[in-house]
Amino acid sequence: MESKKSTTYVYKIEDSAERMDDILDANDNDYEDNKSNIPTRDKLTYKNGYYVDVTALFIDIVDSSKLTDGHKRPTLAKMYRCFLSECVAIMNSYEICKEININGDCVWGVFETPNIDDVDAVIDVAAKLCSMINVLNYKLSKKKYEKIDVGIGIDDGVALMVKAGYSGSGLNDVIWMGDVLNSACHLANKAGRDFREPILITSKVYNNVLEATQKLLTKCTVDGTTYYEGNIIWDPIENWYKENCR
């Protein structure tokens, strides 16, 4: 089979300096507030950006580095692949989920949530993730593999959406930046650890969900800040688990 060499580019500092000037000299008005909805990717250029109001959800495996102690690499690959694929499948099943990213053993999604019902739906995503992990752990135990625990962090706020790379590079990934993403990531790293419940959300998210959902969450303090935590499940998945995973 003939292999095809990927395209490479010669790096020149002169071209680099020119690109820096082009980016830094761009008009600030090219970075628009578009909080009502997330623009489509085709509206992004290498010089503009959009500030959008989103809800971010991060999920990662607790103490994933310790899994390498007891499992061979093919086993770890299969464990991670199961985890990653099903996290993506759940997030991707929601129309309000506009971006999904994988970073190591962490999966995170950006959700378009202009209404309370939308923010509440992100809690549904977290509940489905928790119940899916129960099924996955049953499958892992049948293979004599180690079970996993997860932490899920959720925050709501304004994020900056920009296109990565430069014109002609062939790279056009969308990059998301902002405190809302950093916060959700931080909470995912705190959830499910030190006797914390697997779902940890900010006060802003708590105040933007339905009252019935609020009753499933408990106030807690992490690093001196008030958050809300819970171990919420998704009944249809739990019922399937009880019928098929015993």
Side-chain angles (χ1 to χ4, degrees), residues 151-167:
I152 300 172
I154 306 174
D155 196 7
D156 186 272
V158 176
L160 175 60
M161 176 187 185
V162 298
K163 183 184 285 191
Y166 63 91
S167 181

Side-chain angles (χ1 to χ4, degrees), residues 41 46 163-165 169-174:
R41 285 171 171 247
Y46 290 105
K163 183 184 285 191
S169 67
L171 299 174
N172 57 6
D173 286 343
V174 172

Side-chain angles (χ1 to χ4, degrees), residues 13 18 21 27 33 39-40 54 56 76 86 90-92 117 121 138 140 151-152 158 176 178-179 217 246:
I13 186 59
E18 185 176 341
D21 288 336
N27 194 315
D33 283 327
T40 57
V54 302
L76 284 174
E86 300 320 297
I90 288 174
M91 293 187 197
N92 199 43
D117 287 346
Y138 172 76
L140 294 177
I152 300 172
V158 176
W176 295 84
D179 290 341
L217 298 160
R246 297 297 184 187

Side-chain angles (χ1 to χ4, degrees), residues 21-142:
D21 288 336
D22 287 342
I23 294 170
L24 294 174
D25 291 341
N27 194 315
D28 288 352
N29 293 329
D30 290 335
Y31 292 82
E32 303 177 31
D33 283 327
N34 204 69
K35 295 181 181 178
S36 58
N37 64 290
I38 297 176
T40 57
R41 285 171 171 247
D42 59 8
K43 291 188 176 181
L44 285 171
T45 70
Y46 290 105
K47 294 183 179 180
N48 72 350
Y50 291 93
Y51 289 96
V52 290
D53 196 356
V54 302
T55 301
L57 181 151
F58 280 66
I59 176 171
D60 71 357
I61 298 175
V62 174
D63 293 332
S64 59
S65 60
K66 294 182 180 178
L67 293 176
T68 59
D69 296 337
H71 297 291
K72 295 181 180 180
R73 284 177 291 179
T75 298
L76 284 174
K78 289 185 285 186
M79 293 172 67
Y80 281 129
R81 182 166 286 171
C82 281
F83 169 74
L84 297 173
S85 70
E86 300 320 297
C87 288
V88 170
I90 288 174
M91 293 187 197
N92 199 43
S93 68
Y94 283 76
E95 188 175 348
I96 61 172
C97 185
K98 301 303 181 181
E99 292 283 343
I100 301 173
N101 292 271
I102 298 173
N103 185 9
D105 68 333
C106 175
V107 183
W108 55 278
V110 177
F111 295 81
E112 185 176 80
T113 52
N115 305 309
I116 287 180
D117 287 346
D118 299 319
V119 180
D120 200 76
V122 181
I123 304 297
D124 290 348
V125 174
K128 287 184 179 181
L129 290 169
C130 285
S131 292
M132 178 273 291
I133 293 299
N134 290 335
V135 176
L136 174 57
N137 277 331
Y138 172 76
K139 301 284 188 182
L140 294 177
S141 65
K142 285 187 67 177

